[in-house]
C-alpha cells in the first residue's frame, strides 16, 4: 500500500511539474529591462499584448485560444498559484522544509475561499454573470468557470491566479502496438 501511494505521489508530482514546464509564461518582463513608452505608461496589472500568440499579464498566463474581446460565454480553467496538497508536501520535503499534509490541504481550501471572495468582489458586485462549474484540488489546484470571455480581464486582479486556459478537449492518439 505504501509503494502504491509513493507511485501515485510520484506521478502527481511529475504531472504538476510537467504542467508547469509546458505552460510557464515565456513573456515575463525582467526588472530593469527596457520597455516601450506605451508599456511603461500602462497601469500595473493591465494586460500587455505581445506581438506573439500568447497574452500575458503581470505573471498570469492567458491561453491564446481565448478571445478576450468576445461577449460569448466560455468555460475556462483557472490554475491557482497554490500547489495541490500532495505536490506541496513533496516539494517541501525535497527542499527540506517541514510541511504536513493537513497544513497543505488547508492551504488548498484557503486558496479556494480567497478565490471565491475575489470572484464575488470583481464579478459579483458588478453583476457579471458567472458560474463555477467545477473545483480541482488533486492534479492541479483551481476551478473551471463559465463567464463572458470579455469579462476574464476582471479576474486578473485576483492574487490566486497563476494561469487561465481555454477548456478544450485534447485527444491523444494511442501508439500503434507492434504485431
Amino acid at each position: 500500500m505504501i509503494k502504491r501511494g509513493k507511485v501515485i505521489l510520484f506521478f502527481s508530482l511529475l504531472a504538476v511539474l510537467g504542467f508547469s514546464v509546458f505552460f510557464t509564461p515565456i513573456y515575463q518582463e525582467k526588472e530593469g529591462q527596457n520597455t516601450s513608452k506605451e508599456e511603461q505608461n500602462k497601469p500595473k496589472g493591465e494586460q500587455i499584448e505581445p506581438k506573439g500568440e500568447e497574452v500575458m499579464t503581470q505573471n498570469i498566463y492567458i491561453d491564446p485560444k481565448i478571445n478576450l474581446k468576445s461577449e460569448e460565454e466560455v468555460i475556462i480553467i483557472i490554475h491557482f498559484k497554490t500547489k495541490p496538497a500532495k505536490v506541496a508536501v513533496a516539494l517541501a520535503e525535497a527542499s527540506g522544509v517541514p510541511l504536513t499534509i493537513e497544513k497543505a490541504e488547508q492551504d488548498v481550501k484557503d486558496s479556494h475561499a480567497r478565490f471565491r471572495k475575489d470572484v464575488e468582489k470583481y464579478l459579483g458586485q458588478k453583476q457579471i454573470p458567472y458560474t463555477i462549474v467545477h473545483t480541482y484540488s488533486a492534479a492541479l489546484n483551481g476551478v473551471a468557470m463559465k463567464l463572458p470571455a470579455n469579462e476574464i480581464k476582471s479576474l486578473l486582479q485576483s492574487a490566486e491566479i497563476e494561469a487561465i486556459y481555454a477548456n478544450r478537449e485534447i485527444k491523444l492518439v494511442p501508439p500503434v502496438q507492434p504485431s
Side-chain angles (χ1 to χ4, degrees), residues 21-64:
V21 168
F22 289 112
F23 294 106
T24 299
I26 60 172
Y27 293 109
Q28 290 181 348
E29 187 175 322
K30 294 179 183 166
E31 261 185 67
Q33 184 179 16
N34 291 336
T35 56
S36 68
K37 284 185 180 182
E38 181 181 304
E39 288 177 350
Q40 290 173 352
N41 292 333
K42 285 187 178 184
K44 278 203 173 275
E46 186 171 318
Q47 187 168 326
I48 297 171
E49 293 190 32
K51 300 214 186 246
E53 295 177 354
E54 294 180 347
V55 176
M56 289 296 301
T57 64
Q58 197 161 345
N59 298 320
I60 298 176
Y61 170 86
I62 301 176
D63 190 329

Side-chain angles (χ1 to χ4, degrees), residues 23-112:
F23 294 106
T24 299
I26 60 172
Y27 293 109
Q28 290 181 348
E29 187 175 322
K30 294 179 183 166
E31 261 185 67
Q33 184 179 16
N34 291 336
T35 56
S36 68
K37 284 185 180 182
E38 181 181 304
E39 288 177 350
Q40 290 173 352
N41 292 333
K42 285 187 178 184
K44 278 203 173 275
E46 186 171 318
Q47 187 168 326
I48 297 171
E49 293 190 32
K51 300 214 186 246
E53 295 177 354
E54 294 180 347
V55 176
M56 289 296 301
T57 64
Q58 197 161 345
N59 298 320
I60 298 176
Y61 170 86
I62 301 176
D63 190 329
K65 303 266 187 230
I66 302 170
N67 179 0
L68 296 174
K69 295 178 182 174
S70 171
E71 293 180 11
E72 280 187 45
E73 281 196 337
V74 295
I75 297 178
I76 57 174
I77 307 234
I78 299 177
H79 181 204
F80 294 168
K81 292 177 183 174
T82 304
K83 303 292 182 222
K86 290 182 180 179
V87 174
V89 169
L91 291 172
E93 186 177 296
S95 303
V97 177
L99 178 64
T100 65
I101 190 71
E102 293 81 14
K103 169 71 171 111
E105 287 171 347
Q106 188 59 49
D107 290 345
V108 168
K109 287 178 185 174
D110 291 347
S111 69
H112 281 267

Side-chain angles (χ1 to χ4, degrees), residues 1 25 29-30 45 110 125 166 172-173:
M1 188 65 165
E29 187 175 322
K30 294 179 183 166
D110 291 347
Q125 289 180 355
L172 296 175
V173 178

